[in-house]
mmCIF file with all atom_site columns, all heavy atoms in Angstrom:
data_model
loop_
_atom_site.group_PDB
_atom_site.id
_atom_site.type_symbol
_atom_site.label_atom_id
_atom_site.label_alt_id
_atom_site.label_comp_id
_atom_site.label_asym_id
_atom_site.label_entity_id
_atom_site.label_seq_id
_atom_site.pdbx_PDB_ins_code
_atom_site.Cartn_x
_atom_site.Cartn_y
_atom_site.Cartn_z
_atom_site.occupancy
_atom_site.B_iso_or_equiv
_atom_site.pdbx_formal_charge
_atom_site.auth_seq_id
_atom_site.auth_comp_id
_atom_site.auth_asym_id
_atom_site.auth_atom_id
_atom_site.pdbx_PDB_model_num
ATOM 1   N N   . PHE A 1 4  ? 38.533 39.895 84.882 1.00 97.00 ? 4  PHE A N   1
ATOM 2   C CA  . PHE A 1 4  ? 39.596 38.897 84.931 1.00 97.00 ? 4  PHE A CA  1
ATOM 3   C C   . PHE A 1 4  ? 40.442 39.118 86.177 1.00 97.00 ? 4  PHE A C   1
ATOM 4   O O   . PHE A 1 4  ? 40.778 40.266 86.497 1.00 97.00 ? 4  PHE A O   1
ATOM 5   C CB  . PHE A 1 4  ? 40.498 39.010 83.697 1.00 97.00 ? 4  PHE A CB  1
ATOM 6   C CG  . PHE A 1 4  ? 39.772 38.934 82.393 1.00 97.00 ? 4  PHE A CG  1
ATOM 7   C CD1 . PHE A 1 4  ? 39.393 40.096 81.724 1.00 97.00 ? 4  PHE A CD1 1
ATOM 8   C CD2 . PHE A 1 4  ? 39.458 37.711 81.824 1.00 97.00 ? 4  PHE A CD2 1
ATOM 9   C CE1 . PHE A 1 4  ? 38.728 40.035 80.514 1.00 97.00 ? 4  PHE A CE1 1
ATOM 10  C CE2 . PHE A 1 4  ? 38.789 37.637 80.608 1.00 97.00 ? 4  PHE A CE2 1
ATOM 11  C CZ  . PHE A 1 4  ? 38.418 38.803 79.959 1.00 97.00 ? 4  PHE A CZ  1
ATOM 12  N N   . PRO A 1 5  ? 40.820 38.051 86.870 1.00 96.00 ? 5  PRO A N   1
ATOM 13  C CA  . PRO A 1 5  ? 41.791 38.205 87.963 1.00 96.00 ? 5  PRO A CA  1
ATOM 14  C C   . PRO A 1 5  ? 43.163 38.536 87.386 1.00 96.00 ? 5  PRO A C   1
ATOM 15  O O   . PRO A 1 5  ? 43.491 38.148 86.256 1.00 96.00 ? 5  PRO A O   1
ATOM 16  C CB  . PRO A 1 5  ? 41.782 36.831 88.640 1.00 96.00 ? 5  PRO A CB  1
ATOM 17  C CG  . PRO A 1 5  ? 41.363 35.873 87.559 1.00 96.00 ? 5  PRO A CG  1
ATOM 18  C CD  . PRO A 1 5  ? 40.415 36.644 86.675 1.00 96.00 ? 5  PRO A CD  1
ATOM 19  N N   . THR A 1 6  ? 43.957 39.240 88.138 1.00 95.00 ? 6  THR A N   1
ATOM 20  C CA  . THR A 1 6  ? 45.295 39.621 87.677 1.00 95.00 ? 6  THR A CA  1
ATOM 21  C C   . THR A 1 6  ? 46.357 38.982 88.559 1.00 95.00 ? 6  THR A C   1
ATOM 22  O O   . THR A 1 6  ? 46.127 38.736 89.740 1.00 95.00 ? 6  THR A O   1
ATOM 23  C CB  . THR A 1 6  ? 45.477 41.150 87.696 1.00 95.00 ? 6  THR A CB  1
ATOM 24  O OG1 . THR A 1 6  ? 45.237 41.630 89.020 1.00 95.00 ? 6  THR A OG1 1
ATOM 25  C CG2 . THR A 1 6  ? 44.500 41.818 86.744 1.00 95.00 ? 6  THR A CG2 1
ATOM 26  N N   . PRO A 1 7  ? 47.539 38.726 88.009 1.00 93.00 ? 7  PRO A N   1
ATOM 27  C CA  . PRO A 1 7  ? 48.625 38.159 88.816 1.00 93.00 ? 7  PRO A CA  1
ATOM 28  C C   . PRO A 1 7  ? 49.176 39.202 89.776 1.00 93.00 ? 7  PRO A C   1
ATOM 29  O O   . PRO A 1 7  ? 48.926 40.401 89.613 1.00 93.00 ? 7  PRO A O   1
ATOM 30  C CB  . PRO A 1 7  ? 49.663 37.760 87.769 1.00 93.00 ? 7  PRO A CB  1
ATOM 31  C CG  . PRO A 1 7  ? 49.403 38.660 86.616 1.00 93.00 ? 7  PRO A CG  1
ATOM 32  C CD  . PRO A 1 7  ? 47.926 38.901 86.604 1.00 93.00 ? 7  PRO A CD  1
ATOM 33  N N   . PRO A 1 8  ? 49.924 38.780 90.781 1.00 92.00 ? 8  PRO A N   1
ATOM 34  C CA  . PRO A 1 8  ? 50.522 39.738 91.716 1.00 92.00 ? 8  PRO A CA  1
ATOM 35  C C   . PRO A 1 8  ? 51.373 40.772 90.998 1.00 92.00 ? 8  PRO A C   1
ATOM 36  O O   . PRO A 1 8  ? 52.093 40.447 90.053 1.00 92.00 ? 8  PRO A O   1
ATOM 37  C CB  . PRO A 1 8  ? 51.380 38.851 92.633 1.00 92.00 ? 8  PRO A CB  1
ATOM 38  C CG  . PRO A 1 8  ? 50.763 37.495 92.539 1.00 92.00 ? 8  PRO A CG  1
ATOM 39  C CD  . PRO A 1 8  ? 50.245 37.378 91.134 1.00 92.00 ? 8  PRO A CD  1
ATOM 40  N N   . ARG A 1 9  ? 51.249 42.031 91.395 1.00 93.00 ? 9  ARG A N   1
ATOM 41  C CA  . ARG A 1 9  ? 52.047 43.150 90.886 1.00 93.00 ? 9  ARG A CA  1
ATOM 42  C C   . ARG A 1 9  ? 51.841 43.357 89.378 1.00 93.00 ? 9  ARG A C   1
ATOM 43  O O   . ARG A 1 9  ? 52.712 43.884 88.689 1.00 93.00 ? 9  ARG A O   1
ATOM 44  C CB  . ARG A 1 9  ? 53.534 42.924 91.184 1.00 93.00 ? 9  ARG A CB  1
ATOM 45  C CG  . ARG A 1 9  ? 53.858 42.759 92.661 1.00 93.00 ? 9  ARG A CG  1
ATOM 46  C CD  . ARG A 1 9  ? 55.323 42.511 92.892 1.00 93.00 ? 9  ARG A CD  1
ATOM 47  N NE  . ARG A 1 9  ? 56.118 43.672 92.472 1.00 93.00 ? 9  ARG A NE  1
ATOM 48  C CZ  . ARG A 1 9  ? 57.437 43.655 92.310 1.00 93.00 ? 9  ARG A CZ  1
ATOM 49  N NH1 . ARG A 1 9  ? 58.100 42.520 92.499 1.00 93.00 ? 9  ARG A NH1 1
ATOM 50  N NH2 . ARG A 1 9  ? 58.091 44.751 91.947 1.00 93.00 ? 9  ARG A NH2 1
ATOM 51  N N   . TYR A 1 10 ? 50.689 42.944 88.876 1.00 95.00 ? 10 TYR A N   1
ATOM 52  C CA  . TYR A 1 10 ? 50.415 43.066 87.454 1.00 95.00 ? 10 TYR A CA  1
ATOM 53  C C   . TYR A 1 10 ? 50.613 44.502 86.983 1.00 95.00 ? 10 TYR A C   1
ATOM 54  O O   . TYR A 1 10 ? 50.128 45.448 87.601 1.00 95.00 ? 10 TYR A O   1
ATOM 55  C CB  . TYR A 1 10 ? 48.988 42.610 87.163 1.00 95.00 ? 10 TYR A CB  1
ATOM 56  C CG  . TYR A 1 10 ? 48.528 42.865 85.747 1.00 95.00 ? 10 TYR A CG  1
ATOM 57  C CD1 . TYR A 1 10 ? 49.130 42.216 84.676 1.00 95.00 ? 10 TYR A CD1 1
ATOM 58  C CD2 . TYR A 1 10 ? 47.493 43.751 85.494 1.00 95.00 ? 10 TYR A CD2 1
ATOM 59  C CE1 . TYR A 1 10 ? 48.715 42.447 83.374 1.00 95.00 ? 10 TYR A CE1 1
ATOM 60  C CE2 . TYR A 1 10 ? 47.056 43.983 84.199 1.00 95.00 ? 10 TYR A CE2 1
ATOM 61  C CZ  . TYR A 1 10 ? 47.666 43.330 83.141 1.00 95.00 ? 10 TYR A CZ  1
ATOM 62  O OH  . TYR A 1 10 ? 47.243 43.578 81.853 1.00 95.00 ? 10 TYR A OH  1
ATOM 63  N N   . ASP A 1 11 ? 51.335 44.656 85.875 1.00 96.00 ? 11 ASP A N   1
ATOM 64  C CA  . ASP A 1 11 ? 51.684 45.974 85.331 1.00 96.00 ? 11 ASP A CA  1
ATOM 65  C C   . ASP A 1 11 ? 50.874 46.214 84.058 1.00 96.00 ? 11 ASP A C   1
ATOM 66  O O   . ASP A 1 11 ? 51.293 45.834 82.967 1.00 96.00 ? 11 ASP A O   1
ATOM 67  C CB  . ASP A 1 11 ? 53.191 46.017 85.057 1.00 96.00 ? 11 ASP A CB  1
ATOM 68  C CG  . ASP A 1 11 ? 53.659 47.369 84.539 1.00 96.00 ? 11 ASP A CG  1
ATOM 69  O OD1 . ASP A 1 11 ? 52.828 48.256 84.293 1.00 96.00 ? 11 ASP A OD1 1
ATOM 70  O OD2 . ASP A 1 11 ? 54.890 47.531 84.366 1.00 96.00 ? 11 ASP A OD2 1
ATOM 71  N N   . LEU A 1 12 ? 49.723 46.846 84.194 1.00 96.00 ? 12 LEU A N   1
ATOM 72  C CA  . LEU A 1 12 ? 48.857 47.099 83.045 1.00 96.00 ? 12 LEU A CA  1
ATOM 73  C C   . LEU A 1 12 ? 49.522 48.047 82.054 1.00 96.00 ? 12 LEU A C   1
ATOM 74  O O   . LEU A 1 12 ? 49.559 47.785 80.852 1.00 96.00 ? 12 LEU A O   1
ATOM 75  C CB  . LEU A 1 12 ? 47.519 47.676 83.509 1.00 96.00 ? 12 LEU A CB  1
ATOM 76  C CG  . LEU A 1 12 ? 46.558 48.128 82.405 1.00 96.00 ? 12 LEU A CG  1
ATOM 77  C CD1 . LEU A 1 12 ? 46.131 46.942 81.543 1.00 96.00 ? 12 LEU A CD1 1
ATOM 78  C CD2 . LEU A 1 12 ? 45.339 48.829 83.001 1.00 96.00 ? 12 LEU A CD2 1
ATOM 79  N N   . ALA A 1 13 ? 50.060 49.148 82.550 1.00 96.00 ? 13 ALA A N   1
ATOM 80  C CA  . ALA A 1 13 ? 50.657 50.147 81.665 1.00 96.00 ? 13 ALA A CA  1
ATOM 81  C C   . ALA A 1 13 ? 51.852 49.568 80.911 1.00 96.00 ? 13 ALA A C   1
ATOM 82  O O   . ALA A 1 13 ? 51.998 49.772 79.698 1.00 96.00 ? 13 ALA A O   1
ATOM 83  C CB  . ALA A 1 13 ? 51.073 51.379 82.457 1.00 96.00 ? 13 ALA A CB  1
ATOM 84  N N   . GLY A 1 14 ? 52.722 48.850 81.606 1.00 96.00 ? 14 GLY A N   1
ATOM 85  C CA  . GLY A 1 14 ? 53.888 48.268 80.955 1.00 96.00 ? 14 GLY A CA  1
ATOM 86  C C   . GLY A 1 14 ? 53.515 47.206 79.941 1.00 96.00 ? 14 GLY A C   1
ATOM 87  O O   . GLY A 1 14 ? 54.123 47.107 78.867 1.00 96.00 ? 14 GLY A O   1
ATOM 88  N N   . THR A 1 15 ? 52.493 46.416 80.255 1.00 97.00 ? 15 THR A N   1
ATOM 89  C CA  . THR A 1 15 ? 52.055 45.367 79.342 1.00 97.00 ? 15 THR A CA  1
ATOM 90  C C   . THR A 1 15 ? 51.464 45.957 78.070 1.00 97.00 ? 15 THR A C   1
ATOM 91  O O   . THR A 1 15 ? 51.837 45.576 76.957 1.00 97.00 ? 15 THR A O   1
ATOM 92  C CB  . THR A 1 15 ? 51.030 44.463 80.037 1.00 97.00 ? 15 THR A CB  1
ATOM 93  O OG1 . THR A 1 15 ? 51.662 43.803 81.141 1.00 97.00 ? 15 THR A OG1 1
ATOM 94  C CG2 . THR A 1 15 ? 50.482 43.417 79.079 1.00 97.00 ? 15 THR A CG2 1
ATOM 95  N N   . LEU A 1 16 ? 50.551 46.913 78.212 1.00 97.00 ? 16 LEU A N   1
ATOM 96  C CA  . LEU A 1 16 ? 49.952 47.526 77.029 1.00 97.00 ? 16 LEU A CA  1
ATOM 97  C C   . LEU A 1 16 ? 50.974 48.363 76.263 1.00 97.00 ? 16 LEU A C   1
ATOM 98  O O   . LEU A 1 16 ? 50.908 48.455 75.032 1.00 97.00 ? 16 LEU A O   1
ATOM 99  C CB  . LEU A 1 16 ? 48.757 48.392 77.434 1.00 97.00 ? 16 LEU A CB  1
ATOM 100 C CG  . LEU A 1 16 ? 47.549 47.648 78.010 1.00 97.00 ? 16 LEU A CG  1
ATOM 101 C CD1 . LEU A 1 16 ? 46.411 48.628 78.273 1.00 97.00 ? 16 LEU A CD1 1
ATOM 102 C CD2 . LEU A 1 16 ? 47.083 46.537 77.081 1.00 97.00 ? 16 LEU A CD2 1
ATOM 103 N N   . GLY A 1 17 ? 51.925 48.949 76.970 1.00 96.00 ? 17 GLY A N   1
ATOM 104 C CA  . GLY A 1 17 ? 52.974 49.708 76.295 1.00 96.00 ? 17 GLY A CA  1
ATOM 105 C C   . GLY A 1 17 ? 53.784 48.860 75.346 1.00 96.00 ? 17 GLY A C   1
ATOM 106 O O   . GLY A 1 17 ? 54.301 49.358 74.334 1.00 96.00 ? 17 GLY A O   1
ATOM 107 N N   . GLY A 1 18 ? 53.895 47.563 75.631 1.00 95.00 ? 18 GLY A N   1
ATOM 108 C CA  . GLY A 1 18 ? 54.628 46.668 74.749 1.00 95.00 ? 18 GLY A CA  1
ATOM 109 C C   . GLY A 1 18 ? 53.956 46.455 73.406 1.00 95.00 ? 18 GLY A C   1
ATOM 110 O O   . GLY A 1 18 ? 54.575 45.952 72.473 1.00 95.00 ? 18 GLY A O   1
ATOM 111 N N   . LEU A 1 19 ? 52.673 46.828 73.304 1.00 97.00 ? 19 LEU A N   1
ATOM 112 C CA  . LEU A 1 19 ? 51.959 46.689 72.038 1.00 97.00 ? 19 LEU A CA  1
ATOM 113 C C   . LEU A 1 19 ? 52.243 47.849 71.091 1.00 97.00 ? 19 LEU A C   1
ATOM 114 O O   . LEU A 1 19 ? 51.899 47.784 69.910 1.00 97.00 ? 19 LEU A O   1
ATOM 115 C CB  . LEU A 1 19 ? 50.446 46.608 72.294 1.00 97.00 ? 19 LEU A CB  1
ATOM 116 C CG  . LEU A 1 19 ? 49.974 45.469 73.195 1.00 97.00 ? 19 LEU A CG  1
ATOM 117 C CD1 . LEU A 1 19 ? 48.470 45.574 73.407 1.00 97.00 ? 19 LEU A CD1 1
ATOM 118 C CD2 . LEU A 1 19 ? 50.344 44.116 72.605 1.00 97.00 ? 19 LEU A CD2 1
ATOM 119 N N   . ALA A 1 20 ? 52.838 48.912 71.610 1.00 96.00 ? 20 ALA A N   1
ATOM 120 C CA  . ALA A 1 20 ? 53.130 50.095 70.794 1.00 96.00 ? 20 ALA A CA  1
ATOM 121 C C   . ALA A 1 20 ? 54.491 49.941 70.144 1.00 96.00 ? 20 ALA A C   1
ATOM 122 O O   . ALA A 1 20 ? 55.520 50.063 70.812 1.00 96.00 ? 20 ALA A O   1
ATOM 123 C CB  . ALA A 1 20 ? 53.086 51.357 71.662 1.00 96.00 ? 20 ALA A CB  1
ATOM 124 N N   . LEU A 1 21 ? 54.522 49.665 68.853 1.00 94.00 ? 21 LEU A N   1
ATOM 125 C CA  . LEU A 1 21 ? 55.787 49.506 68.150 1.00 94.00 ? 21 LEU A CA  1
ATOM 126 C C   . LEU A 1 21 ? 56.410 50.850 67.804 1.00 94.00 ? 21 LEU A C   1
ATOM 127 O O   . LEU A 1 21 ? 57.573 50.915 67.421 1.00 94.00 ? 21 LEU A O   1
ATOM 128 C CB  . LEU A 1 21 ? 55.593 48.672 66.879 1.00 94.00 ? 21 LEU A CB  1
ATOM 129 C CG  . LEU A 1 21 ? 54.951 47.287 67.076 1.00 94.00 ? 21 LEU A CG  1
ATOM 130 C CD1 . LEU A 1 21 ? 55.057 46.475 65.799 1.00 94.00 ? 21 LEU A CD1 1
ATOM 131 C CD2 . LEU A 1 21 ? 55.570 46.539 68.247 1.00 94.00 ? 21 LEU A CD2 1
#
Side-chain angles (χ1 to χ4, degrees):
F4 305 96
T6 57
R9 302 179 64 194
Y10 172 65
D11 182 355
L12 174 63
T15 296
L16 293 184
L19 301 177
L21 305 191

